[in-house]
Structures are given as structure tokens and as C-alpha cells.
Amino acid sequence: MVKYTEIFYPIIDSKNNEEGTHQITLKISDSTKQALYSVHKALTNQLNNKRQGNAHTKTRSKVRGGGRKPWKQKGTGRARAGSTRSPLWKGGGVIFGPLSKKYTKKINIKEKRLALRNLIYNKRDKTIITNNFNKIINKPSTKIIIKELNLLGLSSQNEYILIIVSKKDHNLYLSLRNLKNVELIESKQLNILSLIRANKLIIDTQALKDINKTYD
């Protein structure tokens, strides 16, 4: 079962002052157990889809050559041998080696969106809403970005920060790419793993509108 809930976010400016509020309505799970299940299922799906499963070894039937019997069955004094591609031979096949495998798991779009809404609701007290975060700098500068984060009461050294914008600004991207604990994504790239990892969220008001519209 699901329920509708309203969240009122204060909008914070670059000097950490409140300049209004923004309201969104989310459809979330009505029980903690159901919410945890939806998030776990979506996370498992995302992690499995990232696995390549390319490890592959050849069995004796797949190794090239070895069709002719190396020597006759009897009379040589040597052990019997039927093929040079036997796993006992150098250059032969591999016994019980890894084979390529697909790890993908299916999840319905509605289930995935429900998991994202549950996480957004769960992170509501760790979320900062700002106006035009994309436009806070007009040239690439990691130093300025660190200063702006500090003004918002955040530290990229002590916590993992997820910044969600409607559309990535090139200057902002260049400024953030050297900070290992800061991740920049667009609202359409919202995913379970990034939300779970984040200790703090910074969401642009336009991105928040996109999220409310897309995942309603």
C-alpha cells in the first residue's frame, strides 16, 4: 500500500539564509517494512546491472586443435591420451573455470520509482534546497565551490554530498570533479546507489520540480 505525503523544504540561499519554502507531494510506502523492501530490490537491481560477468575460460571442447590422437593407445609405454587439449595438458582446457554470465535482474518501473520516492522522503532532513545552484560560478574553480559548500554548512572532507541539478553546468562540473566526496548528477539520472551513499543532498529548485513531476 502507498500513501501521499507532503514535504515542505526551506529554500536556502548561498549565504545559508532562508528565502522561502518549496512544497512537493510524494507517493510513498505506508510501512517501513515495505519501504525497505522496495529500496533493497531496486539497489540489488542496480548493482547487478553494473556487473559485467565477462570472466570466461575455455573448456576442452572450446580450445582450438587436439582433434588427432597424440599417439596410439597401446605399446608406447606412455599413459593413454586422446587429445592434446585435455585439461591435464599444457595449453589444454580449464576444469570448472568461470564462464560468462548475465547478472541482470528485472524490476518494474513503478517499483523503482517507489524506491526513489521512499529514499527522497527518508533523506528530507538531510536535504538542502537552493535556487540556481548551476549559476553560482562563472568559471571553473574548486576553491570557490568548497567555499560555497562551507557557507551551506557542508564539508566535502567529512561527508558524502550529492548535488542534483536540472541540467549540468560545464563550469560546475569542472569545479567538482576533483572532489572525491561530491557527486553531481542531473535529476533524470537519479538513482538508488547515489541517494543511499549521500550524507547530504543539495537539490536545485528546478531539479526538485523535475523530480516531483517525473516520479509522481
Side-chain angles (χ1 to χ4, degrees):
M1 298 294 291
V2 294
K3 64 178 180 180
Y4 286 92
T5 184
E6 293 181 346
I7 306 176
F8 293 89
Y9 290 111
I11 301 175
I12 307 299
D13 61 15
S14 59
K15 296 182 180 179
N16 203 16
N17 296 321
E18 187 174 331
E19 57 178 8
T21 59
H22 189 90
Q23 175 190 353
I24 64 171
T25 303
L26 292 178
K27 185 167 61 173
I28 62 172
S29 301
D30 63 350
S31 69
T32 304
K33 185 176 181 180
Q34 184 186 9
L36 289 173
Y37 171 75
S38 66
V39 172
H40 176 266
K41 187 174 181 178
L43 178 62
T44 304
N45 169 260
Q46 183 175 342
L47 293 176
N48 281 341
N49 290 345
K50 288 179 66 176
R51 298 183 67 177
Q52 294 184 345
N54 290 338
H56 184 81
T57 54
K58 292 183 179 181
T59 60
R60 62 181 297 165
S61 64
K62 295 178 181 178
V63 179
R64 185 178 179 183
R68 183 173 66 88
K69 189 173 174 65
W71 50 74
K72 64 180 184 179
Q73 183 82 347
K74 293 179 179 293
T76 63
R78 288 179 290 188
R80 295 172 292 185
S83 170
T84 57
R85 303 298 89 178
S86 167
L88 305 179
W89 285 55
K90 181 182 178 181
V94 177
I95 304 174
F96 303 129
L99 300 175
S100 57
K101 180 181 178 181
K102 290 184 178 180
Y103 292 95
T104 55
K105 290 187 68 175
K106 182 182 180 298
I107 184 172
N108 295 330
I109 293 178
K110 288 184 178 181
E111 290 180 292
K112 184 178 179 179
R113 289 182 175 178
L114 177 62
L116 288 169
R117 291 195 300 267
N118 286 331
L119 270 180
I120 292 170
Y121 178 76
N122 189 54
K123 299 271 186 178
R124 64 192 183 280
D125 295 330
K126 301 177 181 179
T127 302
I128 297 174
I129 307 299
T130 63
N131 275 323
N132 300 320
F133 193 82
N134 261 340
K135 306 301 180 183
I136 59 175
I137 55 174
N138 52 18
K139 64 178 181 178
S141 174
T142 303
K143 186 176 181 180
I144 294 177
I145 283 294
I146 293 175
K147 183 179 178 181
E148 291 291 337
L149 292 176
N150 290 338
L151 287 174
L152 292 173
L154 304 177
S155 172
S156 60
Q157 295 182 348
N158 301 325
E159 50 198 0
Y160 192 89
I161 303 169
L162 176 64
I163 301 174
I164 306 172
V165 295
S166 180
K167 189 175 182 180
K168 288 182 182 178
D169 177 73
H170 189 60
N171 290 329
L172 182 62
Y173 164 73
L174 293 178
S175 303
L176 290 171
R177 65 179 178 175
N178 291 330
L179 300 176
K180 66 177 182 178
N181 286 335
V182 180
E183 182 181 359
L184 175 68
I185 63 172
E186 295 183 357
S187 54
K188 61 184 178 183
Q189 298 172 328
L190 199 62
N191 63 87
I192 295 293
L193 187 58
S194 295
L195 284 172
I196 289 178
R197 293 174 65 188
N199 302 114
K200 295 289 185 179
L201 274 68
I202 298 176
I203 306 179
D204 189 83
T205 50
Q206 184 57 49
L208 190 62
K209 292 177 183 177
D210 295 342
I211 291 171
N212 194 32
K213 181 179 179 181
T214 304
Y215 302 101
D216 185 18

